[in-house]
C-alpha cells in the first residue's frame, strides 16, 4: 500500500513538474524525495500538519478561482454542455490523429446498470466501501485524528474533512471536463504516437488536464502560487506516508 501510494504521489508530482518546468521524471522524483525527506525527518508529524493547514486553505481558494475563470472561459455550464466534444465534431490534427471520442452521458453521475464504465450499482456499492477503507482505516488518515488535541477536536476535524470532500465535483471534476473542451487535441489525445509526443504517455493525456488549466487560464501570479501549493501538497502527502 505504501509503495503504491508513494508511486502515485511521485507520478503526480512528475506530471506537474514536466508541464510547468519541463523537468524529466528522474530529476523531479529525486527533488521531491530529498525535500520531503528533509522536512519530515526534522519536523515530524507537526511539520506535516502545519504545512497542510496552510496548503489546504490556499488550495481551496486557488482552485475556486481557477474554477470560476475556467467556467468564464468556456461560457458557463451551458457553454460547457454546448461545447462538450460529444456534442460537436472537432477537426483532427492530421490523418492519423483524432481528439478522441467521449461518452454522451458524461454529465450523468448515475448511469444505466449496463454502462461499461460506471454502472450505478457499482458506483453505489463500491464508493462507500472504498471511501470507508481509505478515510477510516488508512494509517495516513487515522494518524491525523490520533494527533488531535482531544476527542472534540478530532470530531471537528472529521466533520471539516467531510465538508471539504463535497467540493471536488466542483473544483476538480468540472474543471477537468472544461480542460477536455478547451484543449481537445492535448488533453483528449487518443492515438499512442501523438499522445507520447504531447505528454510522454502513450495511453492518453488526461493526466495533464489540471496542469493545462493552471498554466493557461490563471493569471501569471496565481499560476506560480497554485503550482507551488500543488507541489507542496504532494510533498505533504509523501511526508504523511513517510511519517508512518
Amino acid at each position: 500500500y505504501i509503495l503504491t501510494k508513494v508511486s502515485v504521489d511521485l507520478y503526480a508530482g512528475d506530471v506537474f513538474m514536466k508541464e510547468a518546468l519541463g523537468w524529466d521524471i528522474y530529476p523531479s522524483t529525486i527533488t521531491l524525495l530529498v525535500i520531503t525527506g528533509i522536512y519530515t525527518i526534522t519536523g515530524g508529524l507537526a511539520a506535516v500538519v502545519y504545512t497542510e493547514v496552510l496548503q489546504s486553505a490556499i488550495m481551496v481558494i486557488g482552485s475556486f478561482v481557477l474554477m470560476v475563470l475556467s467556467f468564464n472561459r468556456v461560457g458557463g455550464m451551458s457553454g460547457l454542455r454546448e461545447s462538450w466534444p460529444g456534442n460537436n465534431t472537432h477537426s483532427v490534427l492530421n490523418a492519423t490523429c483524432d481528439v478522441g471520442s467521449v461518452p454522451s452521458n458524461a454529465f450523468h453521475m448515475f448511469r444505466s446498470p449496463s454502462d461499461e464504465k460506471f454502472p450505478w450499482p457499482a458506483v453505489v456499492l463500491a464508493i462507500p466501501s472504498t471511501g470507508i477503507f481509505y478515510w477510516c482505516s488508512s494509517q495516513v488518515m487515522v494518524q491525523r485524528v490520533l494527533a488531535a488535541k482531544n476527542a472534540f477536536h478530532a470530531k471537528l476535524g472529521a466533520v471539516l474533512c467531510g465538508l471539504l470532500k463535497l467540493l471536488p465535483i466542483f473544483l476538480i471534476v468540472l474543471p477537468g471536463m472544461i480542460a477536455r473542451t478547451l484543449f481537445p487535441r492535448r488533453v483528449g489525445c487518443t492515438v499512442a504516437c501523438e499522445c507520447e509526443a504531447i505528454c510522454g504517455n502513450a495511453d492518453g493525456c488526461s493526466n495533464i488536464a489540471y496542469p493545462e488549466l493552471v498554466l493557461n487560464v490563471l493569471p501569471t501570479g496565481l499560476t506560480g502560487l497554485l503550482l507551488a501549493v500543488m507541489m507542496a501538497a504532494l510533498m505533504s502527502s509523501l511526508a504523511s506516508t513517510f511519517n508512518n
Side-chain angles (χ1 to χ4, degrees), residues 33-140:
L33 289 175
V34 170
I35 296 176
T36 304
I38 290 175
Y39 85 77
T40 302
I41 294 172
T42 57
L45 182 59
V48 175
V49 172
Y50 282 118
T51 55
E52 284 190 350
V53 170
L54 178 61
Q55 292 159 10
S56 298
I58 299 177
M59 284 183 65
V60 171
I61 296 173
S63 299
F64 180 80
V65 173
L66 178 60
M67 178 194 69
V68 172
L69 294 178
S70 298
F71 269 111
N72 183 62
R73 176 76 69 88
V74 82
M77 193 66 185
S78 59
L80 175 60
R81 287 180 175 274
E82 293 174 2
S83 59
W84 183 246
N87 300 329
N88 292 279
T89 302
H90 292 272
S91 60
V92 298
L93 286 175
N94 53 49
T96 61
C97 180
D98 59 43
V99 297
S101 59
V102 293
S104 58
N105 60 353
F107 288 90
H108 297 277
M109 297 180 64
F110 293 96
R111 304 178 184 178
S112 168
S114 60
D115 189 89
E116 294 182 358
K117 294 184 177 181
F118 297 104
W120 73 260
V123 172
V124 171
L125 295 176
I127 291 180
S129 59
T130 55
I132 291 173
F133 158 73
Y134 186 76
W135 293 103
C136 299
S137 62
S138 169
Q139 174 61 16
V140 173

Side-chain angles (χ1 to χ4, degrees), residues 154-165:
K155 293 176 182 177
L156 284 180
V159 171
L160 176 61
C161 180
L163 292 175
L164 291 176
K165 285 300 292 180

Side-chain angles (χ1 to χ4, degrees), residues 135-223:
W135 293 103
C136 299
S137 62
S138 169
Q139 174 61 16
V140 173
M141 298 301 163
V142 173
Q143 69 175 344
R144 291 160 169 76
V145 179
L146 297 177
K149 182 178 181 180
N150 51 48
F152 180 69
H153 284 196
K155 293 176 182 177
L156 284 180
V159 171
L160 176 61
C161 180
L163 292 175
L164 291 176
K165 285 300 292 180
L166 298 175
L167 300 179
I169 184 68
F170 306 103
L171 301 184
I172 298 176
V173 176
L174 289 176
M177 296 175 71
I178 293 175
R180 179 64 175 80
T181 300
L182 295 178
F183 316 107
R185 294 190 177 98
R186 289 180 58 81
V187 177
C189 181
T190 58
V191 177
C193 62
E194 299 290 347
C195 294
E196 183 74 27
I198 292 172
C199 63
N201 185 0
D203 294 327
C205 294
S206 58
N207 288 329
I208 68 171
Y210 207 80
E212 283 288 313
L213 283 179
V214 172
L215 294 172
N216 294 287
V217 174
L218 284 178
T220 303
L222 286 178
T223 298

